[in-house]
């Protein structure tokens, strides 16, 4: 009665080496278009970058049993991963050439349970405020009926990326 799942990913060093070579928006668009490999975590959790524009990023996931916690719903860490990705990439989409970011914190509020029956969910991230050294972003997780499932805020540290 066991279940299994097989997935593969590409060398993450290829994508990491591209950070800062162009703008953050160009970088994310290259990932979305398949010109750069997606991050291995996307394959592990099975989520995708669906939309990206300046200051906004959208990821989606079709919940499966492999995302469940012991009580029969999607684990909060899956929510947090989607929300962190959406908020962080919203920030990244605003960065100029030669600049990178990292998350300083993530605060998540879980509002509704998610199960396989919920259907596809999407995390919509947007930049709230950005300065020279830090940025604040938020992300919201929605179901197909646009009900809010979770909300997050994230502070990000901005830094120069050394030229390759």
């Amino acid at each position: 009665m066991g279940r299994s799942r097989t997935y593969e990913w590409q060398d993450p060093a290829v994508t990491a080496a591209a950070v800062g070579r162009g703008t953050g928006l160009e970088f994310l668009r290259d990932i979305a278009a398949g010109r750069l490999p997606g991050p291995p975590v996307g394959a592990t959790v099975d989520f995708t970058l669906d939309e990206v524009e300046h200051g906004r990023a959208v990821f989606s996931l079709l919940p499966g049993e492999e995302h469940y916690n012991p009580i029969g719903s999607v684990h909060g860490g899956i929510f947090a991963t989607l929300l962190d990705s959406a908020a962080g990439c919203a920030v990244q989409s605003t960065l100029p050439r030669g600049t990178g970011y990292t998350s300083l914190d993530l605060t998540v509020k879980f509002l509704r349970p998610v199960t396989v029956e919920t259907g596809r969910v999407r995390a919509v991230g947007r930049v709230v405020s950005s300065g020279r050294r830090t940025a604040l972003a938020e992300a919201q997780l929605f179901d197909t009926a646009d009900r809010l499932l979770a909300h997050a805020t994230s502070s990000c540290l901005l830094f120069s990326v050394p030229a390759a």
Side-chain angles (χ1 to χ4, degrees):
M1 294 276 217
R3 292 166 167 86
S4 66
R5 180 172 170 252
T6 303
Y7 60 96
E8 57 184 57
W9 62 94
Q10 296 175 348
D11 184 356
V14 172
T15 307
V19 173
R21 287 188 186 162
T23 68
L25 184 57
E26 292 166 344
F27 174 78
L28 292 169
R29 285 182 174 162
D30 283 347
I31 291 172
R35 292 184 292 269
L36 281 173
V41 69
T44 302
V45 177
D46 197 23
F47 68 87
T48 58
L49 172 59
D50 296 333
E51 300 173 36
V52 63
E53 60 190 59
H54 189 270
R56 184 174 179 273
V58 180
F59 286 82
S60 69
L61 165 81
L62 183 61
E65 289 180 338
E66 68 275 14
H67 300 121
Y68 275 19
N69 58 28
I71 62 172
S73 61
V74 173
H75 190 281
I78 301 298
F79 281 40
T81 299
L82 280 170
L83 293 165
D84 183 53
S85 297
C89 287
V91 168
Q92 188 166 28
S93 74
T94 67
L95 299 181
R97 176 185 210 110
T99 306
Y101 86 96
T102 190
S103 299
L104 290 170
D105 63 24
L106 180 71
T107 302
V108 180
K109 302 295 183 197
F110 304 106
L111 305 173
R112 295 176 181 265
V114 174
T115 65
V116 169
E117 288 78 26
T118 301
R120 185 163 296 279
V121 297
R122 72 186 191 295
V124 180
R126 73 174 189 89
V127 174
V128 174
S129 176
S130 188
R132 289 183 310 124
R133 295 190 179 257
T134 62
L136 175 66
E138 70 175 358
Q140 296 175 305
L141 188 70
F142 297 99
D143 66 10
T144 57
D146 284 333
R147 287 181 298 192
L148 184 61
L149 307 171
H151 179 269
T153 56
S154 177
S155 300
C156 297
L157 176 67
L158 311 181
F159 55 88
S160 294
V161 176

